[in-house]
Amino acid sequence: MRILGIETSCDETGVAIVEKQRDTFSLLANKVASSLSFHAQTGGIIPEVAAREQVKGIIPTLSETLKEGINFDISSKLVPDIDAIAVTYGPGLIGSLLVGVETAKTLSVLWDKPLIPVNHMYGHLYANWIGNKDIQLPAIVLIVSGGHTDLLLMKGHNDIIPIGGTRDDAAGEAFDKIGRLLNLPYPAGPLIAKLSEKGNPNAFLLPRPMIGSDNLDFSFSGLKTSVLNLIKKNNWDFANKDFVSKNHDLLADLSASIQKAIIDVLVKKSAKAAAEHSVNSFILGGGVAANNLLRQSLQENLKQSISLVAPSPILCTDNGAMIAAAAFFKEAKPWSKIDAKPELYY
Ligand code: KG4
Ligand code: ZN
């Protein structure tokens, strides 16, 4: 069975084809067009710009995916050899979501294929099933992205409940907002991770908000304020090129300290969740799941009997493959019943 997956919830236009044979999911094609370069200039995502770029990107990305995955020419007027179309219907930016949802509806009517609406967050979870057939449930799931920091208990494919989450900023958002204070372009997460490689994570003592609290919740906005205060107190001018070129070590040490503070809290609460529920696996998902320190620290802090499962880095950030993979576990709906839902939760 083959599913075409479409993801347009934010700034990435992702289209992919995933095939399932017995229990194995394989990727036939996975194309992502990104408007990141626009957002890098503005320091964050401008929804109107993201939506316009989605409109421009969707048909070329669709056309390339169908060509590469199943040698189908979108101009041929034929019907491609796929079994269903899956699309992200939320959460996300309304303008961006609508591009994917309306495109998927049109294709479903045109090609007479079932349409499967997918929650973006489940997409991040099911990215783990691609090329990975044996994930033992129950599991604790940590979804860490630009918009979410959620701990879930997954007992089965229809039994997934949130057990913790952030009270303010998401982990990726913390990386991105603190990155702005360091004058790093958006998204700052991967850059802070890179700069950290040469830095000392103990150089600056930063707070680990809620690390000892008796629940599975997170809070990252206080960390951002602490970094801002530290920068102001020392008069560090990261917007000044001269200052940055003379202070590479400072930037590396600060990055490493920030990264360690965020990861310490994520790992502590993850280990707490895994200890409170008797689980076989710990599943990671979302853009921040690409972070090597997070993966390493989880490996070190989880009981040996729990297997750590994480997607390949390319499938951590938004893509159509994860939406197609999730769709194998969800049901089709009539196109007339599917609407974009920006505020969708689990
Ligand atoms: O899942 P994603 O592509 O988009 C959302 O659904 O939000 O996640 C993007 C987020 C950004 O905040 C980015 O800074 C962060 O993931 N990110 C990372 C890394 N790679 C991406 N954060 C830390 N370390 C990384 N290596
Ligand atoms: Zn995402």
Side-chain angles (χ1 to χ4, degrees):
M1 184 170 174
R2 282 177 189 167
I3 298 186
L4 175 77
I6 301 178
E7 154 61 38
T8 66
S9 66
C10 191
D11 56 338
E12 254 104 28
T13 313
V15 185
I17 303 170
V18 174
E19 185 170 73
K20 183 173 180 234
Q21 282 177 332
R22 289 197 200 90
D23 287 336
T24 308
F25 295 77
S26 44
L27 207 48
L28 300 189
N30 182 33
K31 297 278 171 197
V32 179
S34 175
S35 56
L36 261 186
S37 52
F38 290 88
H39 309 303
Q41 292 157 26
T42 47
I45 293 174
I46 298 175
E48 176 67 21
V49 175
R52 286 174 189 221
E53 291 305 308
Q54 292 287 4
V55 173
K56 285 191 217 157
I58 188 72
I59 300 299
T61 314
L62 187 65
S63 159
E64 279 174 40
T65 305
L66 288 164
K67 188 77 204 156
E68 185 181 301
I70 53 173
N71 198 22
F72 178 80
D73 178 358
I74 202 167
S75 320
S76 66
K77 300 200 172 78
L78 301 172
V79 174
D81 184 12
I82 54 165
D83 300 285
I85 299 165
V87 66
T88 304
Y89 72 110
L93 303 170
I94 183 66
S96 291
L97 283 168
L98 279 170
V99 176
V101 168
E102 296 307 313
T103 304
K105 283 185 189 176
T106 309
L107 293 176
S108 147
V109 173
L110 185 71
W111 294 336
D112 192 21
K113 302 284 179 190
L115 185 55
I116 307 172
V118 173
N119 180 328
H120 180 83
M121 308 317 293
Y122 290 132
H124 279 305
L125 165 60
Y126 282 102
N128 284 285
W129 267 257
I130 299 170
N132 210 349
K133 58 180 175 173
D134 195 24
I135 299 175
Q136 296 294 318
L137 302 180
I140 296 290
V141 181
L142 175 67
I143 304 290
V144 263
S145 70
H148 291 259
T149 303
D150 299 323
L151 275 166
L152 313 171
L153 174 61
M154 179 179 192
K155 290 187 182 160
H157 294 289
N158 290 315
D159 187 357
I160 303 173
I161 51 162
I163 53 172
T166 183
R167 298 199 173 168
D168 41 59
D169 294 347
E173 194 178 0
F175 274 108
D176 298 337
K177 286 185 173 170
I178 296 174
R180 273 180 88 154
L181 303 176
L182 307 181
N183 203 39
L184 298 174
Y186 175 89
L191 297 168
I192 292 181
K194 183 89 194 119
L195 287 163
S196 301
E197 287 169 12
K198 296 201 171 128
N200 170 8
N202 302 314
F204 298 100
L205 189 63
L206 296 172
R208 270 88 172 135
M210 293 186 74
I211 198 164
S213 68
D214 193 23
N215 53 39
L216 298 171
D217 288 344
F218 304 88
S219 162
F220 291 105
S221 67
L223 176 62
K224 182 183 60 197
T225 311
S226 295
V227 176
L228 178 63
N229 290 340
L230 185 67
I231 293 174
K232 278 190 178 158
K233 195 176 89 192
N234 290 285
N235 277 320
W236 291 329
D237 186 3
F238 292 108
N240 179 327
K241 277 193 185 138
D242 261 3
F243 176 83
V244 174
S245 69
K246 286 182 195 140
N247 287 283
H248 278 306
D249 290 348
L250 168 67
L251 191 57
D253 284 349
L254 193 52
S255 296
S257 304
I258 292 160
Q259 174 177 250
K260 183 83 178 11
I262 296 173
I263 302 298
D264 275 356
V265 187
L266 291 176
V267 172
K268 184 76 192 287
K269 290 290 169 97
S270 298
K272 182 171 161 64
E276 283 174 8
H277 300 273
S278 173
V279 292
N280 294 317
S281 309
F282 189 96
I283 304 176
L284 260 181
V288 184
N291 187 283
N292 282 330
L293 181 68
L294 175 61
R295 291 174 182 230
Q296 267 169 31
S297 314
L298 278 172
Q299 195 80 61
E300 288 161 16
N301 285 277
L302 290 172
K303 274 200 302 192
Q304 286 216 321
S305 57
I306 300 177
S307 350
L308 177 64
V309 185
S312 69
I314 197 165
L315 294 177
C316 287
T317 44
D318 295 350
N319 62 80
M322 67 186 202
I323 303 305
F328 285 95
F329 299 90
K330 305 281 161 203
E331 285 183 1
K333 274 195 176 173
W335 66 265
S336 55
K337 296 239 156 64
I338 300 174
D339 286 316
K341 294 214 161 58
E343 308 295 339
L344 185 67
Y345 192 47
Y346 288 95

